[in-house]
């Protein structure tokens, strides 16, 4: 069985969050062929309660709640060994003045 990993910071209201939840709900027909994991450090938000039951939520350490530090930890999670990874992260970039 192939694993697919989705990564998002939280499921607050927004286009990417709503799109991800809609996609997850459409994947049930493939649950016999694929294992779907969701890495979501901040288990909160408008759409959090709409995650389907067949999606495996990955629990992470507190450092993952700060995605700038957590991305390195995500890469080191070799036991996940996903076939495919979808990532939506919010990054704050400092602009040079």
């Amino acid at each position: 069985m192939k694993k697919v990993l989705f990564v998002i910071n939280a499921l607050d209201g927004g286009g990417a969050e709503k799109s991800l939840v809609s996609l997850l709900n459409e994947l049930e027909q493939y649950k016999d062929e694929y294992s779907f994991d969701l890495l979501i450090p901040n288990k909160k938000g408008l759409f959090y309660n709409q995650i389907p039951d067949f999606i495996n939520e990955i629990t992470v350490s507190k450092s993952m709640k700060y995605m700038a530090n957590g991305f390195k930890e995500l890469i080191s999670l070799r036991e996940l060994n996903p076939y495919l990874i979808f990532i939506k992260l919010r990054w704050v970039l400092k602009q040079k003045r």
Side-chain angles (χ1 to χ4, degrees), residues 6 17-18 25 27 30 44 46 52 57 61-63 65 84-86 91-92 96:
F6 296 90
E17 293 82 357
K18 175 61 178 162
N25 280 288
L27 294 175
Y30 302 104
K44 62 178 184 175
L46 181 63
E57 287 187 53
S61 67
K62 289 184 180 181
S63 68
K65 293 191 181 210
L84 189 59
I85 301 175
F86 292 93
W91 296 98
V92 177
K96 292 184 179 180

Side-chain angles (χ1 to χ4, degrees), residues 2-58:
K2 293 180 180 176
K3 292 183 178 185
V4 178
L5 174 63
F6 296 90
V7 181
I8 194 162
N9 190 40
L11 289 173
D12 299 323
E17 293 82 357
K18 175 61 178 162
S19 295
L20 176 60
V21 169
S22 295
L23 174 64
L24 294 177
N25 280 288
E26 293 296 321
L27 294 175
E28 187 167 10
Q29 60 186 326
Y30 302 104
K31 68 181 182 182
D32 294 333
E33 301 169 42
Y34 295 90
S35 171
F36 300 104
D37 297 325
L38 175 63
L39 194 151
I40 177 168
N42 300 302
K43 297 184 178 194
K44 62 178 184 175
L46 181 63
F47 303 113
Y48 182 73
N49 64 347
Q50 297 178 23
I51 299 171
D53 292 336
F54 67 91
I55 301 294
N56 304 314
E57 287 187 53
I58 306 295

